[in-house]
Amino acid sequence: RKTEAGSESREPAGWETDVWAACDSEGIWLFFLSRHPQLSDVANGLLPGGSYEGYLAAGAGQPYYFFLIEFPSGHLNAQFPTSYRHKSFRPASMERGTLRTETRPCREGMATLLFYSWDLFYDRLPVEGTEWPFETIRWTREGGVTFGGSRSVHNPSSWGALVFEGLTDDARRAIQQRLIKKASDRYR
C-alpha cells in the first residue's frame, strides 16, 4: 500500500492533507482537510477520492479505536475491535452517540470531522501534557502518507501522539460534571 514514513516523505502535489485536533467538554474532535487534484470529479463520485485510516488509543499500551472514512461518501467503518468490552474499553458507536463523523466537499478539498465522546474514556481522562497514541493514513490513488510515520497499518510502535495542552482544572471539571450528569440520568 506504499505508506511513506520519515521527514523526507511528502504528499504528491495536489494531494496535501491537514489534520487538527481539539477537545471540549463533550469529547475529542479531529478535523481533516484533504486536497484532491480532481475535486469536482471526486465530489460527484466519478473518481475514487481515497480514504483516511486511523487509530486512537487512550494512553500507551491501551486498546485503540480504528476508523476508515471513505471519500466522497464519508462512509465510516469502525468495526475493527482491538479489545473486548470490559471496564476499561467501550466500543465507539454512532447509535450511542459516542462516535460521529461527517464528510463534505469544500472549496479546498474534502473536509471531514470525526468525534469521540468522553463517555468512552470516563475513567482515563487526560491531564495537561498527556499523550495519546494517534495515527492516520491518507490513502490516495498514489499510495498512503501518514501522520506519525507508520510503515504499515495497525502498527502502534510507529504512531504519532495527540498531546493535550490547555487542559486546565476548570476544563477537566467541566468534562467530569458532564459525565456525572449523564451517568446520573442513566442510573435514574
Side-chain angles (χ1 to χ4, degrees):
R1 291 210 232 171
K2 295 180 6 183
T3 58
E4 300 286 333
S7 59
E8 302 79 34
S9 298
R10 297 289 179 252
E11 294 164 301
W15 292 91
E16 295 83 10
T17 306
D18 295 323
V19 180
W20 299 273
C23 68
D24 63 10
S25 64
E26 290 184 53
I28 299 168
W29 302 86
L30 300 169
F31 304 93
F32 305 90
L33 177 61
S34 59
R35 276 95 179 165
H36 295 270
Q38 296 168 300
L39 179 61
S40 63
D41 288 341
V42 169
N44 291 320
L46 301 174
L47 285 175
S51 61
Y52 291 120
E53 179 172 343
Y55 322 97
L56 174 66
Q62 295 294 314
Y64 58 88
Y65 292 95
F66 162 82
F67 62 88
L68 180 66
I69 303 170
E70 299 173 9
F71 307 129
S73 68
H75 177 262
L76 171 68
N77 175 352
Q79 301 304 311
F80 186 94
T82 62
S83 182
Y84 295 104
R85 188 183 304 232
H86 55 80
K87 81 174 202 167
S88 296
F89 186 79
R90 288 153 295 282
S93 165
M94 291 185 69
E95 293 78 26
R96 292 190 180 117
T98 56
L99 176 66
R100 287 183 269 176
T101 188
E102 185 173 348
T103 297
R104 302 258 186 225
C106 64
R107 187 168 27 103
E108 290 87 17
M110 299 296 285
T112 300
L113 167 67
L114 180 64
F115 168 80
Y116 288 97
S117 170
W118 289 124
D119 292 11
L120 300 168
F121 314 109
Y122 71 87
D123 56 348
R124 291 165 288 156
L125 295 177
V127 296
E128 179 72 15
T130 297
E131 294 185 13
W132 281 11
F134 171 73
E135 179 64 293
T136 189
I137 303 169
R138 163 81 187 282
W139 293 112
T140 71
R141 294 187 298 275
E142 303 292 322
V145 179
T146 72
F147 168 81
S150 288
R151 296 190 184 274
S152 65
V153 298
H154 298 275
N155 184 6
S157 64
S158 60
W159 293 352
L162 293 182
V163 180
F164 291 86
E165 295 178 353
L167 199 53
T168 64
D169 290 341
D170 288 342
R172 273 184 51 87
R173 210 170 359 267
I175 295 167
Q176 292 167 330
Q177 287 172 340
R178 193 168 192 283
L179 289 171
I180 289 168
K181 171 77 169 98
K182 287 174 82 172
S184 174
D185 291 347
R186 275 191 217 119
Y187 176 77
R188 289 187 190 142

